């Protein structure tokens, strides 16, 4: 007979069977799960929530992932690219407002001009912030040399979601070509770790063809990689993507939200000292989605500080919140009003990374 939820929560290391029981818990049972995740979060990474100002620098992408609204095959999306000036200004506002950390995200572009541009921007951001701003990149798959160049220019964290750790499911979500290789994605994560980045990955939750068993294995996979950060959230269908054909097979959006919160809580219990992001996609289902994640084990939130006029163009999925957190201050204030303690002026490094013996990462 399988163990009860309280037995599992008071036990030691969780195996696949225990993770499955937790992910299958009812709404009533999951209250206990969330409570435990909160307790572990407080004990291992503290009370504070850390902010990362998110700058979506471009929606130009060479890839064609079947789930994503800015895939290259979507010719209806208006493409944009922020100028260097706009990026530097957004970084400066973040710095002035005490967001100790920013994240630069974009569609995947892989060429020497892009590499050089990012290096230039990184150096400039370090310069204008007197090396005070922590910089995370989410710029997709690149060669190890490129990752190294960006690290040397000042980037310290990298987010690259594996999307799903199940190779077969990965194959159903991406075109079958060398530009969308599961192996390369894993190799990229390993390169990032080798170079010394705080390395983050994650998955989408509630994808078509995805089972709870797949998700339980995702958690085991991420533990196996010994990652420092996790960003994961619900899959949300986009009308101009191939996966929309499977819309009728999806679980309800509320179930996807509930399952995402359970994934976050289990992840916290399994990898106690990592940073976990309350993903923006949670807010596309419930305006308090990210806040609920922060009460279920997550400790990082990323206010969107992209200049407002570009907000509707970085449209990954249907209903993506276009409300801009502009300067990061409104989100910060609303979290404080709700009783959260914010780590203003602190990088909020992954404790897991620090304990792995990599030492302090501040320059
Ligand atoms: N191009 C980079 C970073 C930008 S995309 C990359 O792919 O790594 C950032 C994330 O958006 C992706 O990792 C994916 O998990 C998420 N995303 C894309 N389409 C989505 C959808 N329809 N629903 C939920 N998340 C989505
Ligand atoms: Fe491009 Fe990332 Fe979207 Fe894939 S998920 S199409 S790589 S932006």
């Amino acid at each position: 007979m399988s163990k009860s939820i309280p037995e599992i929560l008071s036990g030691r290391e969780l195996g696949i069977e225990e993770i499955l029981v937790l992910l299958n818990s009812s709404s009533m049972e999951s209250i206990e799960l969330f409570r435990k995740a909160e307790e572990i979060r407080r004990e291992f990474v503290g009370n504070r929530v850390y902010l990362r100002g998110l700058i979506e620098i471009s929606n130009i992408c060479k890839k064609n992932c079947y789930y994503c609204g800015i895939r290259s095959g979507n010719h209806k999306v208006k493409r944009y690219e922020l100028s260097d000036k706009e990026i530097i200004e957004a970084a400066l506002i973040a710095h002035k407002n005490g967001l100790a950390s920013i994240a630069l995200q974009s569609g995947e572009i892989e060429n020497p001009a892009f590499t050089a541009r990012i290096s230039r921007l990184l150096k400039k951001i370090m310069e204008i912030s007197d090396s005070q701003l922590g910089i995370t990149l989410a710029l997709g798959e690149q060669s190890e040399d490129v990752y190294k160049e960006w690290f040397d220019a000042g980037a310290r964290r990298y987010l690259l979601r594996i999307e799903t750790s199940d190779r077969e499911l990965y194959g159903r979500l991406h075109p079958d070509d060398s530009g969308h290789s599961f192996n390369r994605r894993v190799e990229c994560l390993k390169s990032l770790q080798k170079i010394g980045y705080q390395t983050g990955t994650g998955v989408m939750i509630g994808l078509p063809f995805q089972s709870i068993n797949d998700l339980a294995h995702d958690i085991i996979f991420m533990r196996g990689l010994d990652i420092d950060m996790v960003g994961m959230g619900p899959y949300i269908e986009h009308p101009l993507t191939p996966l929309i054909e499977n819309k009728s097979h999806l679980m309800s959006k509320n179930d996807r939200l509930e399952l995402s919160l359970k994934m976050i809580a289990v992840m916290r219990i399994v990898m106690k000292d990592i940073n976990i992001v309350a993903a923006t996609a949670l807010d596309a289902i419930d305006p308090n989605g990210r806040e609920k994640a922060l009460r279920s084990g997550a400790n990082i939130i990323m206010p969107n500080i992209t200049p407002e006029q570009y907000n509707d163009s970085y449209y990954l999925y249907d209903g993506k919140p276009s409300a801009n957190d502009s300067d990061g201050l409104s989100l910060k204030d609303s979290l404080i009003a709700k009783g959260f303690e914010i780590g203003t002026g602190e990088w909020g490094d992954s404790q897991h990374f620090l304990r792995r013996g990599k030492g302090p990462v501040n320059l």
Side-chain angles (χ1 to χ4, degrees), residues 50-54 94-95 98-103 132-136 157 301 303 305 345-349:
Y50 297 97
L51 304 172
R52 316 262 181 257
L54 175 65
H95 180 51
L99 297 188
S101 200
I102 56 166
Q132 298 289 305
L133 264 182
I135 310 174
T136 305
R157 310 188 183 111
I301 192 161
I305 59 165
E346 295 172 64
W347 274 36
D349 284 320

Side-chain angles (χ1 to χ4, degrees), residues 61 67-69 105-108 138-140 159-161 163 185 204 234-238 281 314 316-317:
C61 188
Y67 41 84
C68 178
Q105 189 176 61
S106 96
E108 200 171 296
L139 306 174
L159 286 172
L160 183 72
R161 287 182 174 180
E163 315 296 359
R185 212 141 174 104
M204 282 180 283
Y235 159 71
I236 298 177
E237 60 276 26
H238 185 294
Y314 203 85
L316 299 174
Y317 45 80

Side-chain angles (χ1 to χ4, degrees), residues 90-111:
L92 202 53
I93 293 173
H95 180 51
K96 287 199 175 129
N97 288 339
L99 297 188
S101 200
I102 56 166
L104 305 182
Q105 189 176 61
S106 96
E108 200 171 296
I109 306 168
E110 207 184 350
N111 63 50

